[in-house]
Amino acid sequence: MPVTIKVRLDGPYFIDLTQGDVLITDHEGTPIPIPEGKTGITLCRCGASIKKPFCDGTHSRMGFKAAEAAQKAADTAAVPPAAG
């Protein structure tokens, strides 16, 4: 069974470590240690965490909106009012 990465609404990526082995590397392929004793980890999606690649909750303090929600808001704002 493959390891599932869950995209949380306006939050981090969640990886359930009980599903199997997970290897996280940096851009050069160097392994990044996964904190011991965890059954799951969250990876930063907003870019503001000081614990990158792991999430530290900054997204909730800064009002991070995922690309899908941000695009929908931008599209809604760009729609001119109906003539009437």
Side-chain angles (χ1 to χ4, degrees):
M1 173 186 237
V3 172
T4 301
I5 299 173
K6 182 177 182 178
V7 179
R8 291 185 172 168
L9 180 63
D10 297 330
Y13 300 110
F14 176 77
I15 303 172
D16 180 351
L17 298 175
T18 65
Q19 293 181 337
D21 293 333
V22 174
L23 174 65
I24 301 173
T25 66
D26 66 13
H27 64 284
E28 295 179 337
T30 304
I32 296 172
I34 295 174
E36 291 188 36
K38 301 261 186 182
T39 58
I41 56 171
T42 52
L43 299 178
C44 178
R45 186 160 60 135
C46 73
S49 173
I50 60 170
K51 294 182 175 184
K52 284 187 219 68
F54 303 105
C55 175
D56 68 359
T58 299
H59 65 277
S60 60
R61 292 187 295 280
M62 64 182 256
F64 172 75
K65 296 291 180 201
E68 302 83 7
Q71 185 62 55
K72 184 176 181 180
D75 290 346
T76 301
V79 174

